[in-house]
Amino acid sequence: MSKRVIVLVLLVFLAILLAGCGTPRGQGAELEKEDFPAFVYTSAISLESYRLAVREGDLLARLPCYCGCVDTANPPHRNLKECFIKPDGRFEEHGSTCDLCGKIALDAADLKAQGLPLREIRARLDAKYLEYGKATDTPWPE
């Protein structure tokens, strides 16, 4: 694991602790680490990105994924959140084996922690990740 990823994971974890963010809308009770299915624990990036998806679901739902899941997932993903949490609230296994999804989510959280507005976060993610694959058809933030 690169030093940058480790630093990003640590920064995201710190930002999440300091922010005290809640669960995604429609989830009901707060999800704890013990509530994750076994597939979430495949790597440190996987675990941290699922934790992030629970705490920052509104953010990830407004950002695209660039791994190609728009064409390969069934049903196709519409945004980054759906790489980790299905529209019905169950956990999606895809994010546990796709490090690109995790890296995008961690970068998004890092940019948010820097105080950047959503449109700037989207622009920076597009600039960095559009070359990796077809993005989900996630509307631009207003």
Side-chain angles (χ1 to χ4, degrees):
M1 190 178 315
S2 74
K3 289 179 184 177
R4 183 174 187 276
V5 171
I6 292 170
V7 169
L8 281 174
V9 168
L10 291 174
L11 286 173
V12 168
F13 181 71
L14 180 61
I16 290 169
L17 284 176
L18 294 174
C21 298
T23 59
R25 290 183 187 157
Q27 283 294 111
E30 185 173 334
L31 296 171
E32 298 294 334
K33 176 182 172 187
E34 294 78 27
D35 293 326
F36 288 130
F39 61 76
V40 170
Y41 300 97
T42 59
S43 71
I45 290 176
S46 173
L47 178 58
E48 193 56 39
S49 56
Y50 277 89
R51 287 177 177 161
L52 179 64
V54 169
R55 291 184 180 101
E56 292 284 355
D58 289 340
L59 171 66
L60 300 188
R62 299 180 72 196
L63 297 170
C65 183
Y66 309 86
C67 79
C69 59
V70 67
D71 289 329
T72 60
N74 187 17
H77 294 166
R78 298 170 296 169
N79 55 59
L80 185 56
K81 178 183 176 183
E82 290 184 7
C83 294
F84 306 99
I85 301 174
K86 296 178 181 188
D88 66 6
R90 292 180 297 132
F91 288 104
E92 166 64 63
E93 191 168 355
H94 173 81
S96 68
T97 59
C98 183
D99 280 349
L100 185 58
C101 295
K103 290 175 184 177
I104 298 165
L106 294 173
D107 278 353
D110 181 49
L111 294 169
K112 181 181 179 189
Q114 293 175 33
L116 296 177
L118 187 58
R119 289 181 65 80
E120 180 65 22
I121 293 170
R122 168 71 184 261
R124 289 189 185 198
L125 293 177
D126 278 355
K128 184 173 182 178
Y129 291 107
L130 268 175
E131 69 184 60
Y132 286 88
K134 184 178 177 183
T136 55
D137 189 24
T138 309
W140 261 86
E142 294 181 16

